[in-house]
Amino acid sequence: MTAATQAAEFDILVIGGGINGCGIARDAVGRGYSVCLAEMNDLASGTSSWSTKLIHGGLRYLEHYEFRLVREALSERELLWANAPHIIRPLRFVLPHQKGLRPRWMLRLGLFLYDHLGGRKLLPATRTLNLANDPAGRPLKDGFGTGFEYSDCWVDDARLVVLNARDAADRGAQVHTRTEVVALEREGDIWRATLKDRESGATRSVTARLAVNAAGPWVDRVLKGALKRNDTHNVRLVQGSHIVVRKLFDHDRAYIFQNGDGRIVFAIPYEQDFTLIGTTDRDYEGDPADVAATEEEIVYLTEAASEYFRKPITRGDVVWTYSGVRPLFDDGASKAQEATRDYVLKLDEGGRRDGAALINIFGGKITTYRRLALSVLEMIEKALGAKGPDWTATALLPGGDFPTTGLADLEAALARDFAFLPRPLVARLARSYGTRARDLLAGATSIDDLGPHFGADLYGREVAYLMQHEWARRAEDVLWRRSKLGLRVSAEQAQALEAWMAGRLDTAAPAERNQGA
Ligand code: FAD
């Protein structure tokens, strides 16, 4: 048999288990394509867990005339909220008018467009605030008069990725974590990929009719490394950092502050007891895996927020920082903050119309991942032939099968049925797992049934669920991506968790663990 007539094991190989790779894998398998996804670390361990966690139109992008992006992003807000009402919720943003910066008329015009450009049915409209008497004015310095309040949504970014992977696997996709694509070669009209298990070092090969390079900030590295290409300078890596401090205010709204340099900084209620402040924009060189908030960025963020808050934020207030790298399409913009946030898809057919196709993804937002997947699927249909219709607009993500505004009811029902659970734990399980919290708790009638305690409100039962159904392998997967309990457990507790998980790794067969079955 010649290579050109060889049958491939999969229709599609997806490289990268961030939001884009998992969203594409889910959409494709749901249409009937056979899909293999390889992620070199943990799901969402790249940029997709280091975002500001907003499902937003991006008010600031209006200034750069990115109307297409803003309209598309705005219209995704309520759709995604309806599909995942456990991990996505509405959030109101308070924008204080600051004398000497953008004038009131400009803010009003921007917010008018924001209210009307994309579909908005459940999210409330913009309103004007008098910060002198509104509770949102209390934590702020004296002198702020007018403020504006508008709607966007908040998302647990890492869980959004994992739930897309879970749904893809439930529909038949193979999802392999800790598996790096180290080589990708065309053999006639199919791809032969070498996959390396990063834990054992073992390699194996798979074949696919089409490959999708969804490696985020590593997209050019995959082209250079796995494909041995040297003509790739498409991605502009832009670092963004956040700081986390103890809760700065008592209400549930977020702030969007204008900074003197034209940038904006968010201060967002975070994980009940904290406030998240971010972000920055600076060009980045080096391995995206090594990115960390610099001292300069930390100081910049404390100073920017201190311009607004009555009580200044000092370096000593910072309890945690995180940093991620935006894989932006390099459109030649001079400043990092001005580079387009829109996505660009590039089809590479290896110079032959009948050759195995490769789709490279540049840029994109968490917010627009579903729309990006739709565009990729259009390209896939052209290359491989159409299978099923597009279906993701109304498809609920795992655990999201309850009414869009029904999270409080779900929490109340769980509290009633599992009355032994402390209420904050019920709330966390409802917000993380939605209706699947019942699978996790099945049969438990007392706290002792939840197994060993690892600190905060983390028990063995939840960890075992995460290992069995959500590809968790290491303590950090549980503490920093499936949850943010890392903010609350000690180093000793994290070590005990690591040891407990290591002891259970071999209980699942490799194929089973890779598919998260
Ligand atoms: P990634 O999440 O990085 O996924 C790529 C994956 O590919 C990685 O997990 C990596 O390990 C894997 N990989 C790489 N090479 C290989 C290989 N050879 N084999 C196998 N796997 C490989 N967007 C919003 O909508 N809202 C926001 O509020 C927001 N805030 C942001 C704030 C910051 C500071 C940053 C940095 C970004 C923000 N974004 C936001 C943008 C958003 O986070 C990114 O656009 C998105 O996460 C990119 O996802 P991705 O899947 O393309 O990349």
Side-chain angles (χ1 to χ4, degrees), residues 182-183 222-230:
V182 289
V222 165
L223 288 169
K224 283 187 191 122
L227 273 126
K228 309 269 178 290
R229 293 269 296 268
N230 54 13

Side-chain angles (χ1 to χ4, degrees), residues 15-22 38-56 61 155 157 161 179-182 214-219 222 226 238-242 279-280 322-327 361 363-368:
I15 305 166
I19 190 59
N20 288 327
C22 292
E39 161 53 50
M40 67 179 174
N41 292 312
D42 181 26
L43 295 169
S45 57
T47 309
S48 296
S49 57
W50 305 125
S51 81
T52 312
K53 303 169 203 313
L54 303 180
I55 299 289
H56 65 157
Y61 311 145
V155 61
D157 51 5
V161 175
T179 301
E180 182 176 0
V181 177
V182 289
W218 291 268
V219 61
V222 165
V238 175
Q239 173 174 3
S241 297
H242 290 83
T279 176
T280 55
Y322 68 82
S323 195
V325 178
R326 301 175 184 88
I361 295 167
K365 308 269 306 164
I366 302 264
T367 308
T368 47

Side-chain angles (χ1 to χ4, degrees), residues 110-270:
L111 288 165
F112 176 83
L113 288 173
Y114 210 70
D115 264 356
H116 293 95
L117 265 180
R120 188 177 53 76
K121 296 192 188 89
L122 292 175
L123 293 172
T126 296
R127 65 182 185 121
T128 305
L129 302 178
N130 179 355
L131 292 172
N133 56 31
D134 189 283
R138 258 178 239 145
L140 303 182
K141 286 179 177 169
D142 292 334
F144 288 106
T146 310
F148 301 95
E149 188 188 287
Y150 69 92
S151 292
D152 264 325
C153 288
W154 183 91
V155 61
D156 185 331
D157 51 5
R159 292 204 56 73
L160 184 68
V161 175
V162 171
L163 294 185
N164 271 277
R166 182 64 268 160
D167 200 38
D170 288 346
R171 293 170 191 275
Q174 284 202 17
V175 175
H176 299 278
T177 63
R178 266 87 190 186
T179 301
E180 182 176 0
V181 177
V182 289
L184 195 58
E185 288 158 295
R186 281 193 171 95
E187 281 185 3
D189 57 1
I190 67 169
W191 287 105
R192 180 170 296 280
T194 307
L195 309 188
K196 181 176 177 186
D197 183 321
R198 301 249 290 203
E199 287 176 350
S200 68
T203 58
R204 66 198 176 88
S205 87
V206 298
T207 52
R209 295 167 67 202
L210 181 146
V212 179
N213 179 3
W218 291 268
V219 61
D220 275 355
R221 283 177 184 236
V222 165
L223 288 169
K224 283 187 191 122
L227 273 126
K228 309 269 178 290
R229 293 269 296 268
N230 54 13
D231 57 341
T232 52
H233 308 284
N234 304 303
V235 74
R236 180 166 184 177
L237 300 182
V238 175
Q239 173 174 3
S241 297
H242 290 83
I243 58 173
V244 174
V245 298
R246 295 246 154 234
K247 193 164 157 171
L248 295 173
F249 46 89
D250 266 330
H251 57 77
D252 58 3
R253 288 174 279 176
Y255 292 96
I256 170 170
F257 297 140
Q258 306 177 68
N259 203 28
D261 60 4
R263 300 192 67 263
I264 46 115
V265 170
F266 293 106
I268 302 172
Y270 188 59

